[in-house]
Amino acid sequence: MTVVEVLFLLLGLVAAGSALLVVTTRTMVHAALWLVVTLGAVAGIFLLLAAEFVAWVQILIYVGAVVVLLLFALMLTKAPTGPQPDLDARRALPAVAVAGLVLAVLGTTVVAGFHGVELDLDGAVVGSAQTTGATIFQQWVLPFEVLSVLLLAALVGAIVLSRGTGRRGGE
Amino acid sequence: MAELVEVLLRVAVVLLAFLVVPLLVGQVEHKAMAHMQSRVGPMYAGGFHGWAQLVADGVKFVQKEDVVPAAADRTVFKMAPAVALLPYLVAMVAIPIGPGLVGQDLDIGLFFVVAVMGVGVVGTLMGGWSSANKFSLLGGIRVAAQLMAYELPFVLAAASVAMAAGTLSLTGIVEAWNPWWLLWQAPAALVFFVAGLAELQRPPFDIPVADAELVFGPYTEYGGLRFALFILAEYAGIVVLSALTAVLFLGGWHGPWEDQVGWLWTLAKTGLVAFVVVWVRVAYPRLREDQLQRLAWQGLVPLVLFQLAVTAIGVVVMSS
Amino acid sequence: MSFPGKGLLKGLAVTMRTMTKRSVTAHYPDALPELPPRSRGVIALIEENCTVCMLCARECPAWCIYIDSHKDTIPATTEGGRDKSRNVLDRFAIDFSICMYCSICVEVCPFDALHWSPEFEYAELDIRELTHEKERLREWMWTVPAPAALDEGAEPAKEITTAQKAAERQGRPTP
């Protein structure tokens, strides 16, 4: 095994282990913090796979913004500092089933799509900002735009929901 | 072998800069702020105009008892200062002060620095939540709300200059820099600086640590060395922000005799921006929470979007 | 002329201008403060002037003056004369931890035995040390400044007029 393979394995273990802790911990905020570890480990895996740009986007968007948003939301709720033994775990079994299903689908897709593809880690950086940008805006521009429309729809929906019926209150 | 020695040397220099430069900024803040308020500031520590005041403070902090509140989440509480401080150390590695004078030149250095700077806030949030104190919690909420609002203009302003230079490498951006960018990228520079101040929770954006209402916000329960680490993180943040502003918008090592003393130019520009950070703190009162959000969403975001359009037009016109 | 951001620039200008000026800080332990005349720092005592009349101790609103005395008998100097008795001061102490610097004792003293000194550096680590005995109060006397000069055209002090009149009666030239 090469150094890269060992690191990959370790980071994978960290990511999977902390992901497990995210769903099993009894303290809400710990779950969010374990999520930071998971996302960081995934970013590390991206780095190992020479996808530098995606790795730092992962850190910027997920650790820097999404987790902060999560923590913000948690602080606004009445989550206690200590553990909550009454955290709802009744739907654990269906959740495990769904997670397993997603894993199977994604796993088969990746294996079917990239089986046998060799990544040249010593050559030119394949995941640099330039190549990523060129790929997104040339090869994958349609999915990219579709995703944008989806996000826009979500944004509009959020605004509609937060505005309410418009009859309540003074405004 | 020589490569390893070089890497170790670079890391050692960055670490040294990380430990010394924030103290320098802190001392400048002590003295400049004092004189701006017609005081003299520290005068005794070290003999000459209190130059060793922060060293004395450090010694005091080390001697203090390490207190963890009974109701606090111990692990998170203890880890928070490190999480707040380390990102700035990591960010410093990628900032160049001269051609080749950089801890580690990265292909996407700009992205790296901006991403890593955002992580520091998680440390503050951890501290705010785990202290089990209502002031800390409110401070944490305010930190999060502030970051949400200012991260967007911050990143977009950085994107504008990256677009103009056509590269994400910090060294590349400085090399592509041209004096007329001072005018072309002026709105982006302003937005970058203001949003950076807000991300560091520096006055006038220090509502999360507003002492009159929240004691010291997320850091209320901290004392001794851990508190010192949080403060060090704040000053390291000033250094990183100033250096980034100097490198991105003020042309880094460009200036007269840049071949010989280019690195001195970067340091001088960084020092100038750091002084402005202190200056702004003295000159302006603290923004209220609603004013803070309004400034971000109704002032900075439209301004930086306009700047992006201007940059795009400029790039297209110049390349044709 | 007004333009957006003028107030912001003004704020920066004011702070910068202040920075270039000399600060107003009083460098106290290095440079002593200039106190106004009649500063009430500490009360000094001229023991020789005190007749143990107890006026100061009685008038003191805070009861911070302690006086002990005894009577001495001076034998008659002439044959068949009466023995004289005289008050002798044993203890005169002021507790500055109680004193409220109202100056009443200095005002009421008919023999000018009490005076204000501008010295203020007599802080102590133990509160009991703040009770100054008469030896210490006497020492403060060296720091009492000369009385402030009279205003232009003011009446001279009563003592001086009396002395001048007495001198005139004796036919001596007056200054």
Side-chain angles (χ1 to χ4, degrees):
Chain A
M1 279 201 338
T2 60
V3 179
V4 174
E5 279 170 328
V6 171
L7 279 178
F8 188 90
L9 197 69
L10 283 178
L11 281 173
L13 280 177
V14 169
S18 52
L20 209 62
L21 279 166
V22 171
V23 289
T24 51
T25 180
R26 291 263 175 233
T27 316
M28 294 286 276
V29 174
H30 283 185
L33 294 176
W34 280 119
L35 192 61
V36 173
V37 179
T38 311
L39 295 169
V42 171
I45 290 176
F46 280 138
L47 265 186
L48 281 182
L49 295 178
E52 264 185 54
F53 184 72
V54 184
W56 296 119
V57 170
Q58 168 96 1
I59 298 281
L60 178 69
I61 304 295
Y62 282 91
V63 179
V66 170
V67 170
V68 171
L69 195 62
L70 268 177
L71 284 172
F72 183 46
L74 278 182
M75 284 179 181
L76 284 179
T77 65
K78 279 197 276 182
T81 312
Q84 285 168 286
D86 57 336
L87 268 185
D88 191 357
R90 274 174 303 161
R91 284 179 226 120
L93 271 182
V96 168
V98 170
L101 218 61
V102 170
L103 178 70
V105 170
L106 283 180
T108 15
T109 318
V110 170
V111 169
F114 297 98
H115 185 63
V117 175
E118 285 280 326
L119 196 60
D120 183 16
L121 292 179
D122 302 322
V125 186
V126 284
S128 71
Q130 203 167 3
T131 38
T132 313
T135 322
I136 288 181
F137 289 108
Q138 286 168 2
Q139 204 174 345
W140 301 100
V141 70
L142 188 66
F144 180 77
E145 289 301 328
V146 169
L147 266 181
S148 316
V149 173
L150 181 71
L151 285 178
L152 186 67
L155 211 62
V156 172
I159 291 172
V160 169
L161 282 179
S162 62
R163 276 177 66 99
T165 55
R167 301 237 169 214
R168 274 176 293 150
E171 290 181 357
Chain B
M1 191 60 209
E3 230 173 79
L4 187 72
V5 170
E6 198 193 321
V7 167
L8 282 180
L9 198 69
R10 277 167 191 263
V11 169
V13 168
V14 169
L15 194 66
L16 195 71
F18 181 72
L19 290 176
V20 173
V21 182
L23 292 188
L24 218 60
V25 173
Q27 187 66 21
V28 167
E29 173 158 54
H30 266 323
K31 295 305 275 190
M33 188 161 84
H35 282 283
M36 281 176 177
Q37 295 167 339
S38 208
R39 301 181 284 116
V40 289
M43 285 299 275
Y44 286 93
F48 180 74
H49 284 261
W51 66 270
Q53 182 60 46
L54 289 171
V55 180
D57 282 349
V59 172
K60 182 196 76 176
F61 279 133
V62 170
Q63 290 170 349
K64 281 190 154 187
E65 191 187 351
D66 182 20
V67 181
V68 179
D73 190 324
R74 294 189 75 88
T75 350
V76 179
F77 184 87
K78 288 188 165 182
M79 263 167 55
V83 177
L85 183 60
L86 280 181
Y88 294 113
L89 173 61
V90 177
M92 248 183 206
V93 169
I95 297 178
I97 59 163
L101 280 175
V102 54
Q104 179 65 49
D105 195 11
L106 291 170
D107 180 35
I108 49 167
L110 179 59
F111 231 102
F112 172 78
V113 173
V114 172
V116 164
M117 270 180 87
V119 176
V121 176
V122 175
T124 311
L125 289 182
M126 283 165 70
W129 174 78
S130 65
S131 298
N133 174 316
K134 59 187 166 194
F135 298 120
S136 303
L137 188 67
L138 283 173
I141 290 175
R142 286 181 178 186
V143 170
Q146 194 161 318
L147 183 87
M148 292 282 114
Y150 283 90
E151 183 84 351
L152 185 65
F154 187 70
V155 174
L156 288 182
S160 164
V161 77
M163 240 163 88
T167 172
L168 285 171
S169 153
L170 289 172
T171 318
I173 288 173
V174 177
E175 266 151 20
W177 189 82
N178 195 307
W180 83 279
W181 284 25
L182 282 178
L183 200 66
W184 185 29
Q185 298 294 334
L190 185 74
V191 170
F192 187 83
F193 182 70
V194 172
L197 277 186
E199 285 208 5
L200 296 175
Q201 300 138 40
R202 284 288 301 176
F205 304 103
D206 62 337
I207 189 97
V209 294
D211 52 346
E213 31 192 302
L214 291 183
V215 189
F216 204 51
Y219 319 130
T220 302
E221 292 289 359
Y222 283 91
L225 203 54
R226 288 178 210 285
F227 179 78
L229 287 183
F230 269 125
I231 299 299
L232 184 61
E234 182 180 335
Y235 287 93
I238 296 175
V239 173
V240 170
L241 173 71
S242 308
L244 265 185
T245 311
V247 164
L248 293 179
F249 297 100
L250 303 181
W253 52 85
H254 287 301
W257 306 291
E258 57 186 275
D259 293 333
Q260 286 88 47
V261 292
W263 57 277
L264 217 58
W265 275 109
T266 319
L267 290 185
K269 287 169 182 175
T270 306
L272 193 74
V273 179
F275 177 75
V276 175
V277 173
V278 174
W279 193 4
V280 162
R281 169 177 182 178
V282 183
Y284 301 137
R286 182 183 296 139
L287 263 73
R288 220 169 45 216
E289 190 66 40
D290 60 324
Q291 295 168 331
L292 194 97
Q293 296 290 335
R294 187 170 301 134
L295 175 67
W297 295 110
Q298 298 185 351
L300 297 187
V301 171
L303 185 64
V304 77
L305 287 177
F306 169 74
Q307 167 73 66
L308 276 178
V310 170
T311 309
I313 293 169
V315 168
V316 170
V317 166
M318 274 192 294
S319 64
S320 61
Chain C
M1 199 183 75
S2 147
F3 52 91
K6 190 186 175 194
L8 297 178
L9 289 181
K10 212 184 233 171
L12 289 177
V14 166
T15 42
M16 185 46 87
R17 217 177 306 126
T18 314
M19 194 176 87
T20 54
K21 281 187 200 146
R22 228 186 142 64
S23 68
V24 296
T25 305
H27 294 259
Y28 158 57
D30 299 328
L32 288 176
E34 277 190 29
L35 295 171
R38 300 192 187 87
S39 285
R40 298 180 186 181
V42 67
I43 297 169
L45 167 76
I46 308 181
E47 202 189 322
E48 297 88 327
N49 282 5
C50 180
T51 60
V52 202
C53 66
M54 303 292 281
L55 275 176
C56 51
R58 270 186 232 155
E59 292 295 327
C60 179
W63 293 94
C64 69
I65 303 179
Y66 309 107
I67 299 177
D68 287 340
S69 66
H70 67 268
K71 275 202 160 84
D72 244 9
T73 315
I74 303 171
T77 43
T78 49
E79 196 70 31
R82 225 166 22 136
D83 287 354
K84 278 183 181 170
S85 75
R86 169 176 160 266
N87 285 322
V88 178
L89 191 61
D90 291 330
R91 178 178 186 230
F92 191 106
I94 299 179
D95 188 346
F96 284 104
S97 69
I98 306 175
C99 174
M100 60 186 194
Y101 302 86
C102 64
S103 193
I104 289 177
C105 54
V106 178
E107 306 288 334
V108 298
C109 181
F111 304 104
D112 282 349
L114 294 173
H115 296 271
W116 277 114
S117 154
E119 288 294 319
F120 56 91
E121 292 170 312
Y122 53 93
E124 301 284 356
L125 292 174
D126 187 333
I127 195 171
R128 287 168 293 189
E129 306 277 308
L130 276 172
T131 306
H132 293 191
E133 294 296 333
K134 67 175 191 244
E135 290 75 25
R136 189 135 184 234
L137 292 173
R138 182 67 184 82
E139 283 305 306
W140 290 125
M141 204 51 221
W142 303 112
T143 63
V144 174
L150 292 175
D151 285 344
E152 200 72 34
E155 231 174 73
K158 211 167 68 187
E159 294 89 335
I160 295 179
T161 352
T162 325
Q164 272 174 351
K165 275 183 187 154
E168 270 166 26
R169 274 200 300 275
Q170 291 180 7
R172 265 185 287 170
T174 52

